[in-house]
Coordinates of all heavy atoms in Angstrom, one line a residue:
A431 N -20.2 9.4 -3.4 CA -20.1 10.3 -4.5 C -20.7 11.7 -4.2 O -21.8 11.7 -3.5 CB -20.7 9.7 -5.7
T432 N -20.1 12.8 -4.6 CA -20.6 14.1 -4.5 C -20.4 14.8 -5.8 O -19.9 14.2 -6.8 CB -19.9 14.9 -3.4 OG1 -18.5 15.1 -3.8 CG2 -19.9 14.1 -2.1
D433 N -20.7 16.1 -5.9 CA -20.5 16.9 -7.1 C -19.0 17.0 -7.3 O -18.6 17.3 -8.5 CB -21.1 18.3 -7.0 CG -22.6 18.2 -6.9 OD1 -23.2 17.2 -7.4 OD2 -23.2 19.2 -6.4
Y434 N -18.2 16.8 -6.3 CA -16.7 17.0 -6.4 C -15.9 15.7 -6.4 O -14.7 15.8 -6.7 CB -16.2 17.9 -5.3 CG -16.9 19.3 -5.3 CD1 -17.8 19.6 -4.3 CD2 -16.7 20.2 -6.3 CE1 -18.5 20.8 -4.3 CE2 -17.3 21.5 -6.3 CZ -18.2 21.8 -5.3 OH -18.8 23.0 -5.3
S435 N -16.6 14.6 -6.0 CA -15.8 13.4 -5.9 C -16.6 12.2 -6.4 O -17.8 12.2 -6.4 CB -15.5 13.1 -4.4 OG -16.6 13.0 -3.6
S436 N -15.9 11.1 -6.8 CA -16.5 9.9 -7.3 C -16.7 9.0 -6.2 O -16.3 9.1 -5.0 CB -15.5 9.2 -8.3 OG -15.1 10.1 -9.3
T437 N -17.5 7.9 -6.5 CA -17.8 6.9 -5.5 C -16.5 6.2 -5.1 O -15.6 5.9 -5.9 CB -18.7 5.8 -6.1 OG1 -19.9 6.5 -6.5 CG2 -19.1 4.8 -5.0
Y438 N -16.3 5.9 -3.8 CA -15.1 5.2 -3.3 C -13.9 6.1 -3.4 O -12.8 5.6 -3.5 CB -14.9 3.9 -3.9 CG -16.0 2.9 -3.7 CD1 -16.6 2.2 -4.7 CD2 -16.4 2.6 -2.4 CE1 -17.6 1.3 -4.5 CE2 -17.4 1.7 -2.1 CZ -18.0 1.1 -3.2 OH -19.0 0.2 -2.9
S439 N -14.1 7.4 -3.3 CA -13.0 8.4 -3.3 C -13.1 9.2 -2.1 O -14.2 9.9 -1.9 CB -13.0 9.2 -4.6 OG -12.0 10.2 -4.5
V440 N -12.1 9.3 -1.2 CA -12.2 10.1 0.0 C -11.7 11.5 -0.3 O -11.8 12.4 0.6 CB -11.3 9.5 1.1 CG1 -11.8 8.1 1.6 CG2 -9.8 9.4 0.7
Y441 N -11.2 11.8 -1.5 CA -10.8 13.1 -1.8 C -11.6 13.6 -3.0 O -12.3 12.9 -3.7 CB -9.3 13.2 -2.1 CG -8.9 12.6 -3.4 CD1 -8.5 13.3 -4.5 CD2 -8.9 11.2 -3.6 CE1 -8.1 12.8 -5.7 CE2 -8.5 10.6 -4.8 CZ -8.1 11.4 -5.9 OH -7.8 10.8 -7.1
E442 N -11.5 14.9 -3.3 CA -12.3 15.5 -4.4 C -11.6 15.4 -5.8 O -11.1 16.3 -6.3 CB -12.6 17.0 -4.1 CG -13.4 17.2 -2.8 CD -13.6 18.7 -2.4 OE1 -12.7 19.5 -2.9 OE2 -14.5 19.0 -1.7
D443 N -11.7 14.1 -6.3 CA -11.0 13.8 -7.5 C -11.6 14.5 -8.7 O -10.9 15.0 -9.6 CB -11.0 12.3 -7.7 CG -12.4 11.7 -7.8 OD1 -13.2 12.1 -7.0 OD2 -12.7 10.9 -8.7
K444 N -12.9 14.7 -8.7 CA -13.6 15.4 -9.9 C -13.1 16.8 -9.9 O -12.8 17.4 -11.0 CB -15.1 15.3 -9.8 CG -15.7 14.0 -10.0 CD -17.2 14.0 -9.9 CE -17.9 12.7 -10.1 NZ -19.4 12.8 -9.9
K445 N -13.1 17.5 -8.7 CA -12.8 18.9 -8.6 C -11.3 19.1 -9.0 O -11.0 20.0 -9.7 CB -13.0 19.4 -7.2 CG -12.7 20.9 -7.0 CD -13.0 21.3 -5.6 CE -12.7 22.8 -5.4 NZ -12.9 23.2 -4.0
M446 N -10.4 18.2 -8.6 CA -9.0 18.3 -8.9 C -8.8 18.1 -10.4 O -7.9 18.7 -11.0 CB -8.2 17.3 -8.1 CG -8.2 17.5 -6.6 SD -7.0 16.5 -5.7 CE -5.5 17.3 -6.2
K447 N -9.6 17.3 -11.0 CA -9.5 17.1 -12.5 C -9.9 18.4 -13.2 O -9.2 18.8 -14.2 CB -10.4 15.9 -12.9 CG -10.4 15.7 -14.4 CD -9.1 15.3 -15.0 CE -9.3 14.9 -16.5 NZ -9.9 15.9 -17.4
E448 N -10.9 19.0 -12.7 CA -11.4 20.3 -13.3 C -10.3 21.3 -13.2 O -10.0 22.1 -14.1 CB -12.7 20.7 -12.7 CG -13.9 19.8 -13.1 CD -15.1 20.3 -12.3 OE1 -15.0 21.2 -11.6 OE2 -16.2 19.7 -12.6
E449 N -9.7 21.4 -12.0 CA -8.6 22.3 -11.7 C -7.4 22.1 -12.6 O -6.8 23.1 -13.1 CB -8.2 22.3 -10.2 CG -9.3 22.8 -9.3 CD -9.0 22.6 -7.8 OE1 -8.2 21.7 -7.5 OE2 -9.7 23.2 -7.0
Y450 N -7.1 20.9 -12.8 CA -6.0 20.5 -13.7 C -6.3 21.0 -15.1 O -5.4 21.6 -15.8 CB -5.7 19.0 -13.7 CG -4.6 18.6 -14.6 CD1 -3.3 18.6 -14.1 CD2 -4.7 18.3 -15.9 CE1 -2.2 18.3 -14.9 CE2 -3.7 18.0 -16.7 CZ -2.4 17.9 -16.2 OH -1.3 17.6 -17.0
D451 N -7.5 20.8 -15.6 CA -7.9 21.3 -16.9 C -7.9 22.8 -17.0 O -7.5 23.4 -18.0 CB -9.3 20.8 -17.3 CG -9.3 19.3 -17.4 OD1 -8.2 18.7 -17.7 OD2 -10.4 18.7 -17.3
D452 N -8.2 23.5 -15.9 CA -8.2 24.9 -15.9 C -6.8 25.4 -16.0 O -6.5 26.5 -16.7 CB -8.8 25.5 -14.6 CG -10.3 25.3 -14.5 OD1 -10.9 25.1 -15.5 OD2 -10.8 25.3 -13.4
Y453 N -5.8 24.7 -15.4 CA -4.4 25.1 -15.6 C -4.0 25.0 -17.0 O -3.2 25.8 -17.5 CB -3.5 24.2 -14.7 CG -3.4 24.6 -13.3 CD1 -3.8 23.8 -12.2 CD2 -2.8 25.8 -12.9 CE1 -3.7 24.2 -10.9 CE2 -2.7 26.2 -11.6 CZ -3.1 25.4 -10.6 OH -3.0 25.8 -9.3
T454 N -4.5 23.9 -17.7 CA -4.1 23.7 -19.1 C -4.6 24.9 -19.9 O -3.9 25.4 -20.8 CB -4.7 22.4 -19.6 OG1 -4.2 21.3 -18.9 CG2 -4.4 22.2 -21.1
K455 N -5.8 25.3 -19.7 CA -6.4 26.5 -20.4 C -5.6 27.8 -20.1 O -5.3 28.6 -21.0 CB -7.8 26.7 -20.0 CG -8.8 25.6 -20.5 CD -10.2 25.9 -20.0 CE -11.1 24.7 -20.4 NZ -12.5 24.9 -19.9
K456 N -5.2 28.0 -18.8 CA -4.5 29.1 -18.4 C -3.1 29.2 -19.0 O -2.6 30.2 -19.4 CB -4.3 29.1 -16.8 CG -3.7 30.3 -16.3 CD -4.5 31.6 -16.4 CE -3.8 32.8 -15.7 NZ -4.6 34.0 -16.0
I457 N -2.5 28.0 -19.1 CA -1.2 27.9 -19.8 C -1.2 28.4 -21.2 O -0.4 29.2 -21.7 CB -0.6 26.5 -19.7 CG1 -0.2 26.2 -18.2 CG2 0.6 26.4 -20.6 CD1 0.2 24.8 -18.0
K458 N -2.3 27.9 -21.9 CA -2.4 28.3 -23.3 C -2.7 29.8 -23.5 O -2.1 30.5 -24.4 CB -3.6 27.5 -23.9 CG -3.4 26.1 -24.2 CD -4.6 25.4 -24.8 CE -4.3 23.9 -25.0 NZ -5.5 23.2 -25.7
E459 N -3.5 30.4 -22.5 CA -3.7 31.8 -22.6 C -2.4 32.6 -22.3 O -2.2 33.6 -23.0 CB -4.8 32.1 -21.5 CG -6.2 31.6 -21.8 CD -7.1 31.8 -20.6 OE1 -6.7 32.4 -19.6 OE2 -8.3 31.5 -20.7
E460 N -1.7 32.2 -21.3 CA -0.4 32.9 -21.0 C 0.6 32.7 -22.1 O 1.4 33.7 -22.4 CB 0.2 32.4 -19.7 CG -0.7 32.7 -18.5 CD -0.7 34.2 -18.2 OE1 0.2 34.9 -18.6 OE2 -1.8 34.7 -17.7
E461 N 0.6 31.6 -22.7 CA 1.6 31.4 -23.9 C 1.2 32.3 -25.1 O 2.1 32.8 -25.8 CB 1.6 29.9 -24.3 CG 2.3 29.0 -23.3 CD 2.3 27.5 -23.7 OE1 1.4 27.1 -24.4 OE2 3.3 26.8 -23.3
Q462 N -0.1 32.4 -25.3 CA -0.6 33.3 -26.4 C -0.2 34.7 -26.1 O 0.2 35.5 -27.0 CB -2.1 33.1 -26.6 CG -2.6 33.9 -27.8 CD -2.0 33.4 -29.1 OE1 -1.9 32.3 -29.4 NE2 -1.4 34.4 -29.8
K463 N -0.4 35.2 -24.8 CA -0.1 36.5 -24.4 C 1.4 36.8 -24.6 O 1.9 37.8 -25.0 CB -0.4 36.8 -23.0 CG -1.9 36.9 -22.7 CD -2.2 37.1 -21.2 CE -3.7 37.1 -20.9 NZ -4.0 37.3 -19.5

Side-chain angles (χ1 to χ4, degrees):
T432 69
D433 292 339
Y434 302 109
S435 61
S436 306
T437 304
Y438 297 126
S439 176
V440 295
Y441 73 107
E442 297 178 336
D443 58 317
K444 291 181 180 178
K445 183 179 180 181
M446 293 190 76
K447 174 64 169 59
E448 292 177 358
E449 290 171 344
Y450 182 87
D451 294 339
D452 288 341
Y453 276 119
T454 300
K455 294 177 183 177
K456 184 67 174 176
I457 289 171
K458 289 182 179 179
E459 292 172 359
E460 291 298 331
E461 286 179 335
Q462 186 59 54
K463 289 179 181 179

